[in-house]
Amino acid sequence: MLFPSKKNVGAYKATDLAFNKIMGKYVAILDSHDYSHPKRIKKQVEELEKNLKIGLVLTKYKCVDTKNRIINNLKKEKTISYNNFNRLFPCINLACNSSAMFRKKFIKELFFYNKDLFYSYDYNFFLKIFKFSRIKFINKFYTFYRIHCNQRTNTLKKKIIFKENLYNLRWSAKNGLINRGNILIFLKN
């Protein structure tokens, strides 16, 4: 179901409004400037249906410009093993907001976003899910993340991005998601 807004109310408010209308078991987010492969939703639902311990399903993504030309892949083309993904994810965001599908129950249990975060509120939410359930990473490019000049991440100062990345690293460490093994895998990649 789509919940289009009649006016631009911002990402946080639009997400809040949509979350209050959700009726299904799962939530898939697709930011207005991004798009998905036609099989994305089906594949993510299949993963959630076959394993109740999975709370979040993410896919690989490719960056595209305003004319849908592939710019580059922020995340390497190589396949990331399940174990490496789960070790790397608490240290670095390997997904984009539009590649996520999660169980609806997490919206109320974990609160979707931290209003103090401007850049990484989605990643912070994904980390919270990871603390209580498993994440399935689909090693296929099912999401296309559009890069454009008016994008929020292009207007944020590097200092803010650095502070938020550090905040999420600390959160992961404090909540037992990071250990020596995570750091060694992170440094190798």
Side-chain angles (χ1 to χ4, degrees):
M1 227 179 208
L2 293 175
F3 301 114
S5 179
K6 290 178 184 168
K7 63 179 185 170
N8 186 350
V9 294
Y12 295 139
K13 186 70 174 161
T15 303
D16 245 2
L17 292 169
F19 282 175
N20 288 327
K21 296 180 179 185
I22 293 171
M23 295 177 272
K25 297 190 292 188
Y26 310 122
V27 178
I29 296 174
L30 187 65
D31 293 335
S32 63
H33 51 271
D34 301 339
Y35 62 98
S36 294
H37 185 282
K39 293 182 180 177
R40 176 191 154 211
I41 300 295
K42 180 180 182 242
K43 295 291 184 185
Q44 289 178 308
V45 168
E46 285 172 358
E47 293 295 338
L48 288 164
E49 289 288 322
K50 75 180 175 188
N51 189 342
L52 294 177
K53 292 181 180 178
I54 293 173
L56 171 66
V57 180
L58 300 167
T59 74
K60 285 176 108 173
Y61 67 94
K62 290 189 179 198
C63 294
V64 295
D65 65 14
T66 55
K67 295 182 180 178
N68 293 331
R69 296 176 297 209
I70 294 172
I71 300 171
N72 66 355
N73 299 317
L74 288 178
K75 308 309 169 206
K76 297 178 183 174
E77 288 279 350
K78 69 179 182 178
T79 299
I80 302 169
S81 74
Y82 178 78
N83 286 336
N84 279 352
F85 176 83
N86 283 293
R87 289 182 186 144
L88 282 169
F89 192 69
C91 302
I92 185 169
N93 188 0
L94 296 167
C96 69
N97 197 30
S98 289
S99 75
M101 179 181 281
F102 55 90
R103 296 186 188 280
K104 177 185 171 184
K105 70 177 188 169
F106 289 120
I107 295 171
K108 288 195 171 134
E109 290 176 12
L110 303 175
F111 304 104
F112 176 65
Y113 58 82
N114 178 336
K115 292 180 183 178
D116 296 328
L117 300 175
F118 300 99
Y119 158 73
S120 62
Y121 61 91
D122 51 347
Y123 176 52
N124 183 258
F125 178 66
F126 301 158
L127 289 171
K128 289 176 188 175
I129 293 174
F130 191 44
K131 180 179 176 184
F132 297 103
S133 72
R134 292 191 180 146
I135 295 178
K136 171 69 177 183
F137 181 67
I138 299 175
N139 253 313
K140 293 192 177 172
F141 292 101
Y142 282 133
T143 307
F144 299 87
Y145 177 74
R146 192 175 315 279
I147 304 288
H148 54 88
C149 59
N150 296 327
Q151 199 164 359
R152 175 191 279 177
T153 51
N154 290 340
T155 60
L156 287 175
K157 295 179 180 171
K158 288 182 182 179
K159 184 178 179 181
I160 292 172
I161 293 171
F162 176 79
K163 283 173 107 174
E164 289 194 20
N165 286 336
L166 189 59
Y167 173 89
N168 285 315
L169 269 172
R170 286 181 176 148
W171 190 94
S172 290
K174 182 176 134 187
N175 286 280
L177 299 178
I178 294 180
N179 59 38
R180 188 171 184 267
N182 301 85
I183 301 301
L184 292 174
I185 295 289
F186 175 70
L187 293 174
K188 285 181 187 178
N189 287 287

